Amino acid sequence: MGSLYGKMILRVCLFFPMPTWSRVSDLISEHGRSLSQWIHLGGVKAFLDGSLGSSSALFHEPYEGDPDNYGLQMTDLDSLLNRTLESDKSGLQVAIHAIGDKANDILLDMVDKIVDLNGAKDRRFRIEHAQHLAPGAANRFGKHGTIASVQPDHLLDDADHAWSKIGVERSERSSYTFRSLLDGGAQLAFGSDWPISDINPLQAIRSAVFRKPPGWEVPWIPAERLTLDESLKAHTMSAAYACFLDHAVGSLSEGKYADFVVVPSTSWDEFSSDLPGHVLATYVSGRQAYP
Ligand SMILES: *[C@@H]1O[C@H](CO)[C@@H](O)[C@H](O)[C@H]1NC(C)=O
């Protein structure tokens, strides 16, 4: 373990399966949240529904051409609430996967319940994906500081077949509503969902700014595009905040690690008009780590 430690140049924030919450909680009591500057114990993760591609994301309305299929609720709600309350009470951060609009509504209701039962605090409850939202749902995240942990790169694929799964009207009003989430007061954190999609953050930022899938002439749901500044913040400061790591990373500030990349642009204007697809160099803790 000692030699592996020395070679690690990537910071990770780990989430463990929710049923193991009491062991994670014990581990944190014993060692603290940071096992080293590289390894942080984040909290616990659970799944409420499936995915759009496999017609198992949980929706209020049925799938197109499949009138009995509303998707799957993967977890019993009583036990999910019970474990979430117990984890939350023990100080763990909780992240729950929700893709369909109904799954997201269930979690937003659950957060209200958690606040009622365990009290208000800085818990940074994370909804993972928050991919399809019912009308009005985007405005509910801000109330208790709930984090919408989204992966812009997935929209490149879903743009091509969301309409066949849930129809054009539903997909246009509900999918990857980043603008509505930000305007509604959500904490919007970007991620990659690697290895399912590209790990390159510049690609995710490009997807959020342009929303243009390969081969498309026009953006998908252009009203939900973000600016470059908003997208950068979502992939840096807000992603750090979403892991309770904003004191250590997420911006170049005094007291934080000097983690940064060098991009092949000579000015901010050049960078913003022609977002590069790769970086020239990566620095971690102020030391060159790539190339
Ligand atoms: C969760 O379930 C366990 C076992 O049934 C019970 O002892 C505990 O009180 C429950 N916790 C909450 C917060 O409901």
Side-chain angles (χ1 to χ4, degrees), residues 52-75:
L52 184 68
S54 61
S55 302
S56 55
L58 185 64
F59 285 95
H60 289 294
E61 295 165 68
Y63 283 85
E64 279 292 295
D66 195 0
D68 293 329
N69 184 13
Y70 292 76
L72 286 179
Q73 184 186 306
M74 317 262 275
T75 315

Side-chain angles (χ1 to χ4, degrees), residues 78 81-83 85-86 89 117-118:
D78 287 339
L81 178 63
N82 176 293
R83 282 180 175 147
L85 286 167
E86 299 282 358
K89 224 184 291 174
L117 294 168
N118 283 2

Side-chain angles (χ1 to χ4, degrees), residues 227-243:
T227 65
L228 177 58
D229 280 30
E230 290 165 335
S231 304
L232 271 177
K233 183 176 177 222
H235 221 319
T236 53
M237 272 306 290
S238 305
Y241 177 87
C243 286

Side-chain angles (χ1 to χ4, degrees), residues 178-179 208-211 219-227 230:
F178 303 155
R179 162 64 50 212
V209 171
F210 298 110
R211 293 184 73 108
W220 186 41
I221 323 175
E224 296 291 347
R225 280 176 298 186
L226 297 185
T227 65
E230 290 165 335

Side-chain angles (χ1 to χ4, degrees), residues 49 51-52 55-72 99-103 130-135 158-159 161-177 211 220-221 224:
D49 68 346
S51 71
L52 184 68
S55 302
S56 55
L58 185 64
F59 285 95
H60 289 294
E61 295 165 68
Y63 283 85
E64 279 292 295
D66 195 0
D68 293 329
N69 184 13
Y70 292 76
L72 286 179
I99 298 234
D101 58 5
K102 185 171 179 187
Q131 195 170 294
H132 301 278
L133 298 180
D158 281 335
H161 38 246
W163 60 272
S164 69
K165 293 282 180 185
I166 56 173
V168 172
E169 190 272 325
R170 276 164 71 197
S171 54
E172 296 267 319
R173 73 165 144 81
S174 77
S175 308
Y176 299 86
T177 60
R211 293 184 73 108
W220 186 41
I221 323 175
E224 296 291 347

